[in-house]
Amino acid sequence: MDSRRFDLFLILPLAIFTLAFLILPLARLTVEAGSGPQGLAGFFVILTEARFRNSLIVTLILAIATTVATLTVATVAAQTLANRKFSGRGLLLSMLTFPLAFPGVVVGFMIILFGGRLGLVGSVSKSLFGANVVFAYSLFGLFLGYLYFSVPRVLLTILAAAEKLDPSLVEAARSLGASPLAIQRDVVLPALFPAMYTGGALCFATAMGAFGTAFTLATAIDVTPMLIYTEFTLATNASMAAAISIALGLVTWAALAIARSRAMRDTKGA
Amino acid sequence: MNAQAPVNAVRSGSSITTRRLSKTFNGMTVLQPTDLEIPAGQILVLLGPSGCGKTTLLRLIAGLERPDGHDMIRFDGEDVSGVPIEKRNVGMVFQSYALFPNMTVAENVAYGLKIRKVERTKREAETRRLLALVGLEEYADRRISAVSGGQRQRTALARALAIKPRVLLLDEPLAALDAVLRERLRVEIGLLLREFGITAVYVTHDQAEAMAIGDRIAVMQKGRIAQIDMPQEIYHRPANDFVADFVGTMNRIAGRVENGVLTIRAGETMVRLNVGGPDRPTTLCFRPEAVRLTSASGAVVARIAAATFFGATQRLVAEVTPECRLQLDLPSSLSFTPGQIIPFDIDPAAILEFKARA
């Protein structure tokens, strides 16, 4: 086998993966989506019918809020943790990786323990003001759940980048008179940007598509993955479920593409 | 070797004075109380092995580290010990260049002016002037990743000079470059610093770099200054063994002086060196170039073990006795063969004597 053929051979695993897990199922899903009573026009129903449209908008807003909040918390925390030695640092970092393995159901359950009807916040507020504060079964509860789930993984991504940041870059900026805010804007954040993009994209995509947490918290939360589930199982409208799935995929993909092009432009400093 | 500043050079920058300046990290004193006086416009090189405290001293002057006490560092007589680096107005050049990768060469140079809110046209003119000074005009709009190591270092220098600092502080600025470039840039930087006439503190572990750049050199050892003087003095009149060894090669002949003569038994012959003074055990030191071939009687004789060609000179490794090996620099026009025995004189003025080593 000459080396050219061998190179082609190396493409095989990727080709099989692409075909089996991406192209074929998506094609099947598209065909399925077009098999409903309205045919391919079913896609337009997503936009015209308020229930579907609102669900996509709510999900998008939730995912954006989760991503922004996660990036804010993780970027600040990563800078605090990077290049700082203190006792218990290793323990803290390993504890942060703890929620990584939790399925959405467990995360949802923890949110209920925290902000549910018999939750921690509720019992404390009840004893203090006599009012039982409950937020677990709302979008806010879902937001907290996603945050709990996303912050550790994004933090670890950004932490790796923050530790690679040459400390003399910051020192040089300080010697030139830059304030801490200017250093963040001109030195630190540009250096962390690739990691923030990677982490943010992961966080965003997860928040768009996560199902378990929402399912555990409430059926009243109309995020798109829940909608797909109800369309598919309760309404047995497989074609609609397929159409919404594709729409969800497209919206996520488009949002990431926009963020990516922005990220590229920013790091090139055009 | 040491380019002297032109007489009419404009001296700028502040004088630096340290009084009992010290630094302790976690109970370990990395810089012993140090008194230092650097006149405005002078270039002081801090030379020493790693861990000698030279970088700590530089970072203290910069304001990147806090000294142990108050009123330990003064610029032009004004106490700056408590002034943070952001307000101290010092220019810094780092070994890693520390250039901002998200900015172009020109944007890097202009950064300090931008922070100081210098008006745009003025800023751009000043940036152009500095880029011209370091020979980087054509590279102004290049990204940092698209210029060479030498160009990066010159960008870093221009960026530090742009803010018209009171003092310029350079931390091993050439250590990351290859040997040829390092040699060329140390001449260039030396000339540039003199042209600017700025007070500069330059940290290095490379003695050739120190000689080329410093008006004065402070050789540091274990957190204190072992000797501070002009390069010529440091080289020819080292204060102790450590300085002698750190700055160039030093030959040693150990023995006992009796009646003013140091006698070394070399095989059947005795080598005698007239040194004078009282009877004592001693070690005589001299540089490799302090010798000259001679035919006069009473010369030192040595057997050549090896010869290395250096271009203008050659370095011989010669044995007076198996225990006493010397390195001798002689013109490369002479030809020697290993095993040959040569007689030579040591310039009496170049002989140094330190306390006998245990």
Side-chain angles (χ1 to χ4, degrees):
Chain A
M1 194 186 299
D2 62 22
S3 73
R4 215 184 123 68
R5 274 216 203 133
F6 185 71
D7 284 350
L8 285 174
F9 190 67
L10 289 181
I11 297 173
L12 212 58
L14 184 64
I16 292 172
F17 174 82
T18 314
L19 203 66
F21 294 101
L22 293 173
I23 296 176
L24 291 180
L26 271 179
R28 183 72 188 81
L29 210 55
T30 314
V31 171
E32 183 64 49
S35 69
Q38 303 110 318
L40 280 173
F43 280 106
F44 293 105
V45 176
I46 299 171
L47 296 178
T48 50
E49 195 168 322
R51 192 163 65 94
F52 298 144
R53 196 178 58 221
N54 289 345
S55 162
L56 265 180
I57 292 171
V58 164
T59 311
L60 194 63
I61 291 172
L62 176 67
I64 290 173
T66 306
T67 309
V68 170
T70 302
L71 282 178
T72 311
V73 173
T75 306
V76 174
Q79 287 187 49
T80 316
L81 285 172
N83 308 313
R84 199 164 291 180
K85 305 270 169 285
F86 53 89
S87 53
R89 183 178 190 268
L91 184 70
L92 181 63
L93 283 181
S94 67
M95 271 175 65
L96 280 174
T97 57
F98 197 64
L100 291 183
F102 283 161
V105 183
V106 178
V107 175
F109 185 62
M110 290 174 104
I111 291 300
I112 292 174
L113 287 179
F114 184 58
R117 270 179 283 276
L118 297 171
L120 180 70
V121 175
S123 23
V124 170
S125 68
K126 200 169 187 177
S127 63
L128 285 179
F129 329 104
N132 193 358
V133 176
V134 177
F135 53 79
Y137 317 104
S138 65
L139 264 179
F140 184 67
L142 194 57
F143 169 75
L144 282 186
Y146 287 172
L147 215 55
Y148 173 70
F149 183 74
S150 303
V151 166
R153 57 185 66 199
V154 175
L155 172 59
L156 292 177
T157 312
I158 299 177
L159 183 60
E163 281 179 339
K164 268 191 241 145
L165 184 71
D166 180 1
S168 59
L169 274 177
V170 172
E171 291 176 349
R174 290 180 62 196
S175 75
L176 294 168
S179 65
L181 278 180
I183 291 173
Q184 285 289 318
R185 185 190 62 211
D186 300 327
V187 181
V188 177
L189 291 182
L192 298 184
F193 210 88
M196 288 170 71
Y197 174 76
T198 311
L202 201 75
C203 170
F204 178 78
T206 312
M208 283 297 283
F211 171 71
T213 313
F215 191 70
T216 313
L217 289 181
T219 41
I221 302 173
D222 241 354
V223 288
T224 309
M226 286 286 285
L227 193 66
I228 296 172
Y229 177 78
T230 46
E231 281 301 308
F232 187 62
T233 55
L234 303 178
T236 55
N237 190 349
S239 66
M240 201 59 231
I244 303 171
S245 304
I246 290 172
L248 180 67
L250 282 177
V251 169
T252 309
W253 175 80
L256 291 182
I258 291 167
R260 187 176 175 77
S261 73
R262 280 219 49 153
M264 289 304 131
R265 205 184 60 200
D266 286 1
T267 45
K268 277 182 190 142
Chain B
M1 202 163 178
N2 182 29
Q4 289 302 317
V7 186
N8 60 350
V10 190
R11 283 313 196 190
S12 66
S14 306
S15 67
I16 304 170
T17 315
T18 71
R19 294 251 177 281
R20 314 276 311 145
L21 174 60
S22 64
K23 178 68 186 172
T24 309
F25 283 114
N26 303 325
M28 223 179 69
T29 305
V30 288
L31 185 71
Q32 303 289 342
T34 300
D35 288 335
L36 204 58
E37 193 81 57
I38 311 170
Q42 194 177 71
I43 304 166
L44 177 75
V45 172
L46 302 177
L47 175 68
S50 57
C52 71
K54 58 188 192 299
T55 297
T56 303
L57 178 51
L58 185 88
R59 291 172 65 85
L60 283 164
I61 296 172
L64 286 169
E65 305 286 354
R66 276 182 101 71
D68 287 344
H70 297 293
D71 197 11
M72 288 180 158
I73 306 162
R74 292 175 168 224
F75 288 177
D76 279 340
E78 168 205 347
D79 177 25
V80 294
S81 310
V83 179
I85 181 168
E86 291 86 348
K87 302 250 179 300
R88 215 178 269 202
N89 203 24
V90 293
M92 289 214 71
V93 178
F94 295 85
Q95 179 179 342
S96 65
Y97 318 123
L99 294 168
F100 309 127
N102 49 317
M103 301 179 198
T104 63
V105 168
E107 283 166 351
N108 264 280
V109 175
Y111 187 72
L113 301 174
K114 202 170 156 192
I115 289 291
R116 281 165 176 68
K117 299 197 161 53
V118 172
E119 176 226 344
R120 190 192 180 93
T121 49
K122 222 175 137 191
R123 189 169 81 213
E124 281 171 357
E126 183 62 13
T127 303
R128 266 197 305 278
R129 190 182 74 83
L130 281 155
L131 286 174
L133 194 77
V134 296
L136 286 175
E137 298 136 298
E138 298 150 51
Y139 300 91
D141 296 324
R142 290 271 191 100
R143 304 205 62 75
I144 295 306
S145 56
V147 297
S148 70
Q151 288 161 344
R152 285 179 204 189
Q153 199 47 280
R154 282 184 281 161
T155 307
L157 189 62
R159 181 180 68 178
L161 289 171
I163 58 169
K164 297 199 168 57
R166 299 179 79 174
V167 301
L168 184 66
L169 307 167
L170 306 101
D171 189 6
E172 306 246 10
L174 303 181
L177 300 169
D178 64 66
V180 177
L181 199 57
R182 197 159 62 222
E183 210 161 308
R184 209 184 71 207
L185 270 177
R186 77 177 172 228
V187 176
E188 276 182 29
I189 287 189
L191 287 172
L192 205 63
L193 293 186
R194 283 186 177 76
E195 198 173 315
F196 254 78
I198 190 167
T199 318
V201 181
Y202 187 111
V203 164
T204 181
H205 63 265
D206 180 333
Q207 51 106 357
E209 205 173 300
M211 300 277 171
I213 286 177
D215 291 322
R216 280 196 306 162
I217 297 173
V219 184
M220 294 190 66
Q221 176 193 18
K222 292 182 187 154
R224 61 179 92 238
I225 294 176
Q227 185 177 6
I228 178 163
D229 218 324
M230 302 206 321
Q232 294 86 341
E233 289 295 310
I234 296 273
Y235 187 79
H236 292 298
R237 297 279 155 224
N240 60 29
D241 261 354
F242 173 80
V243 176
D245 277 334
F246 200 80
V247 183
T249 308
M250 191 58 93
N251 289 306
R252 288 194 166 75
I253 300 178
R256 219 189 133 68
V257 178
E258 263 159 16
N259 304 320
V261 178
L262 178 76
T263 312
I264 311 160
R265 174 180 290 280
E268 305 89 66
T269 57
M270 302 288 272
V271 174
R272 292 160 177 282
L273 281 167
N274 272 309
V275 288
D279 291 1
R280 63 197 182 273
T282 190
T283 304
L284 298 183
C285 303
F286 60 95
R287 298 284 183 198
E289 66 275 14
V291 297
R292 165 175 76 87
L293 291 181
T294 180
S295 54
S297 62
V300 184
V301 288
R303 181 189 302 274
I304 295 172
T308 312
F309 179 65
F310 276 177
T313 62
Q314 58 185 327
R315 174 156 295 181
L316 305 179
V317 177
E319 287 181 354
V320 179
T321 68
E323 296 81 46
C324 181
R325 282 188 152 209
L326 301 177
Q327 307 209 47
L328 312 174
D329 284 356
L330 290 166
S332 60
S333 51
L334 304 168
S335 103
F336 300 102
T337 47
Q340 186 183 344
I341 295 195
I342 52 165
F344 61 90
D345 263 347
I346 305 168
D347 176 7
I351 294 181
L352 300 163
E353 193 178 348
F354 302 117
K355 269 182 286 172
R357 293 216 278 197

